[in-house]
Amino acid sequence: MPTWMLEVKVMGPKSAPRAQGQKRALWAASLTSWREQTSGLRWAGSGLPSALRETQTSPASMLCLVIFAAHALGLAAAAQKAVLTLNPPWSTVFRGESVTLSCNGSRPPGSTPTSWCLEGYSWISTETNLQIKAAQMEDAGKYQCKTSDSTWSDHIELTVSSGWLILQAPHYAVFEGDRLLLRCRVRRGGEVYGMRYYRDGTEITPKPVQSSYTIDQAKTTDSGTYRCEGEILSGSLYFIRYSNEVLVLVQELFSTPELKVAGSAEAREESPLTLRCVTQPKPWTSDLQLQYSFCKSSMIVRGPESSPVHHIPAASLADSGPYFCVVQTVTSSVRKQSPEQGIKVKRVPVSGVTLGVQPRNGQVVAGERLVLNCSVAAGTGPLTFSWHWEGSGLALRTETLHSRRMDYEIPAATESDAGEYYCAASNGHNRVLSPRVTVTVWVPVTGANIIRDKPELVLTVGESLNLSCSVQAGTDAAFRWLHNAQELDVASGLGLLSPVGHVLYVESVQLGHAGNYQCIASNQFSLERVFQASSEILAVTVREDASTWVAVGVTVTLLCLVGATVAAVVCVRRHQKAEEICFTAWWRSTPGPVQQEPPAHGLLPPATLGSSELELEYANVCPQEQTSSDVVYSVVSIQKGSGAKPTGTSQMDNGHLVTYAALCSPKPSWDSATKVRASEVGDQSKSDIYETITHL
């Protein structure tokens, strides 16, 4: 609070003391009226102080209007205020005690005067200290001083007492955290008993009782009117005496802090939360340094430090509770606590649960890594994730952590891992399921194999052929057929082949269907990844039907019979004409060409066979059993005619040239032919191939 000072200078010549007295009387009347209007201030008795009485004032400084402090009006804001102190530092003294006032302020070099003021009277002195020796009642009052380069100091009110007890308090302003010392003194020569202290009428006597009352760290609540009392021994009697009252005002450094929450006191979990400790330093504490602490339920969560802000990046349920802040000076001499502020952090429900798959399309090759990641769009934790498969009633895995995403990994997927999956997320507040995701495990083709419908692959023309291709494993396998390393299709040159998928069917095989067959199975996972498996090569043999050869043999036999019949007719006719001999050998169990040796005559040269002098006769040697139609061999007799003998030939009597038709063998001879005939009794199937054997 600024100090207002009324300065009156009495001006006039030295030769006019009466006028000076009149002016003083006028000033006293004005001063009395002003005192009544400012009843809150203390005033000393009338008259000039002894220090002033010893000083001669010039007539020019005798009378002036009191002007209140210029610094309060802001006229000398640039200048610093002087500081006035007392030694000893008590503002109340007994009459007759000494006290020294010192003025400290900015001044230029050299000896400069100091201005003093007491209750409106001012004077100039070259001394920076004002000594009051043996203080009297008129020395009481409010003192101020200033230097040439400073403004008026704050006033100090000096009280001079003539009573038995005085209560001494510091003359300077007391701030929060300062040490406050009050002394209760008895006049010289007296002795006090049963000393007691009071503040605002309430006893505050310390124990044990002491002559002084000390407050180590003053608070604003220590402000009030103090007095002391005690029993004074006077002669043989004790009298209770009371001291003067002293008003002690402990000035506040800063206001009581208030804890403020940015936004609302109800915060969402995992959202930022900011607390601010707000206080207002007083104007006279511009250089005051403060520290801030934040507490929750009497536990310090941050500080002390210079920042008045406490920021929680992501609030959790554990951050809920009562908070307050504490503001203190650097020395901790002053410490103030804000009222509590309740903060509630609300849990955010789980929402937006999704299940992602890697590979992204949900298709994975068997043996490769499959990852299912479960994530939530909103929801505060800790979150509990679980993964589920359509074929299992239990969760594949359950995990709890402070995260909005969690992965479930299958290091090597198998075909049994295919199917629908979903995940669930919960935070104790609610539980949400994700949409279902289909996972396909793509198995590469392996183990291609051809399955045939016949144990033997030697086929006869006209039979059917049915081959199928299978794989040991494989997803969506496609099949191709190769014939002699050439791919088959419906439009192939072998029109009867019909490869359809894994089946190759030939309704009627032909000789061209013989050869090597192979199937190739493949499946395609992507444009870049194609899997293929080839079967072993399967050889197929096709031969003509045996019935065809039988038909040819029957045809030849019939032709032979016809020829033999014709030959027999011719033979009969020629026999009648030329007395030719035709004989027939009947079937026996052991006969053979060896037993039918012709006479040992020399044979005609081959050149004579075509001669007209020789006439040919034919006869068939047939089995004795008439039920058999097989021709074993034929005998052709060549007999000389009536013509002359060819020159150079030997004489033949009944000469013969015999040609046999016998079963075919690797190198047939007469002996082998006999064996062939003997085998025909047990195996008729070996008599279907013949060859002609000539025996001379």
Side-chain angles (χ1 to χ4, degrees), residues 438-452:
T438 301
V439 172
T440 301
V441 179
W442 194 275
V443 181
V445 292
T446 57
N449 183 43
I450 297 178
I451 302 175
R452 54 196 181 184

Side-chain angles (χ1 to χ4, degrees), residues 28 201 260 267 305 449 588 655 671:
K260 294 185 176 181
E305 58 184 39
N449 183 43
R588 295 184 299 273
D671 294 335

Side-chain angles (χ1 to χ4, degrees), residues 579-599:
E579 297 180 352
E580 297 173 343
I581 301 174
C582 180
F583 61 93
T584 300
W586 300 103
W587 172 265
R588 295 184 299 273
S589 60
T590 58
V594 177
Q595 296 175 334
Q596 300 294 332
E597 288 284 347

Side-chain angles (χ1 to χ4, degrees), residues 512-570:
H513 293 147
N516 296 327
Y517 288 84
Q518 186 180 26
C519 78
I520 299 176
S522 63
N523 56 2
Q524 182 174 355
F525 180 71
S526 63
L527 293 177
E528 298 80 13
R529 304 185 69 180
V530 178
F531 303 95
Q532 182 172 292
S534 301
S535 71
E536 294 183 353
I537 297 176
L538 186 65
V540 176
T541 302
V542 179
R543 69 180 184 182
E544 293 185 358
D545 192 357
S547 61
T548 303
W549 292 103
V550 172
V552 172
V554 171
T555 303
V556 172
T557 302
L558 292 177
L559 292 177
C560 290
L561 291 176
V562 172
T565 303
V566 173
V569 173
V570 174

Side-chain angles (χ1 to χ4, degrees), residues 445-645:
V445 292
T446 57
N449 183 43
I450 297 178
I451 302 175
R452 54 196 181 184
D453 61 343
K454 294 182 175 63
E456 298 292 336
L457 292 178
V458 179
L459 305 177
T460 303
V461 173
E463 291 184 341
S464 64
L465 176 63
N466 190 0
L467 304 178
S468 62
C469 187
S470 65
V471 292
Q472 183 179 0
T475 303
D476 295 340
F479 299 91
R480 294 182 296 128
W481 288 92
L482 301 182
H483 177 241
N484 294 334
Q486 298 295 322
E487 185 172 356
L488 288 176
D489 54 24
V490 177
S492 64
L494 301 176
L496 296 179
L497 286 176
S498 300
V500 180
H502 70 288
V503 176
L504 176 64
Y505 176 71
V506 182
E507 183 177 2
S508 178
V509 298
Q510 304 299 321
L511 295 178
H513 293 147
N516 296 327
Y517 288 84
Q518 186 180 26
C519 78
I520 299 176
S522 63
N523 56 2
Q524 182 174 355
F525 180 71
S526 63
L527 293 177
E528 298 80 13
R529 304 185 69 180
V530 178
F531 303 95
Q532 182 172 292
S534 301
S535 71
E536 294 183 353
I537 297 176
L538 186 65
V540 176
T541 302
V542 179
R543 69 180 184 182
E544 293 185 358
D545 192 357
S547 61
T548 303
W549 292 103
V550 172
V552 172
V554 171
T555 303
V556 172
T557 302
L558 292 177
L559 292 177
C560 290
L561 291 176
V562 172
T565 303
V566 173
V569 173
V570 174
C571 181
V572 171
R573 290 181 180 180
R574 288 187 178 271
H575 179 72
Q576 292 175 353
K577 293 179 180 180
E579 297 180 352
E580 297 173 343
I581 301 174
C582 180
F583 61 93
T584 300
W586 300 103
W587 172 265
R588 295 184 299 273
S589 60
T590 58
V594 177
Q595 296 175 334
Q596 300 294 332
E597 288 284 347
H601 298 291
L603 297 180
L604 294 176
T608 62
L609 294 177
S611 173
S612 59
E613 295 181 357
L614 299 177
E615 294 182 1
L616 303 177
E617 288 189 3
Y618 302 88
N620 290 328
V621 179
C622 299
Q624 187 175 3
E625 293 83 357
Q626 297 301 318
T627 59
S628 176
S629 62
D630 291 341
V631 177
V632 180
Y633 59 89
S634 299
V635 178
V636 180
S637 298
I638 303 175
Q639 196 166 7
K640 180 179 178 183
S642 59
K645 295 181 179 179

Side-chain angles (χ1 to χ4, degrees), residues 90-95 97 159-169 182-187 195 197 211 226-229 232 241-246:
W90 312 112
S91 59
T92 302
V93 295
F94 282 110
R95 187 174 60 179
E97 293 182 339
T159 301
V160 179
S161 175
S162 59
W164 283 96
L165 288 177
I166 62 172
L167 181 62
Q168 292 181 322
L182 302 175
R183 285 200 317 175
C184 189
R185 293 180 59 200
V186 64
R187 191 172 60 183
M195 187 177 297
Y197 290 87
S211 61
Y226 289 80
R227 66 177 177 85
C228 66
E229 66 179 34
I232 304 298
R241 295 290 184 258
Y242 303 95
S243 72
N244 58 302
E245 291 186 344
V246 175

Side-chain angles (χ1 to χ4, degrees), residues 265-267 269 273 296-297 312 315-323 341-347:
E266 288 191 357
E269 192 176 20
L273 177 62
K296 176 194 169 192
S297 301
I312 302 175
S316 64
L317 295 181
D319 294 321
S320 299
Y323 283 79
Q341 171 73 48
I343 295 177
K344 182 178 181 180
V345 180
K346 300 174 62 177
R347 175 152 288 179

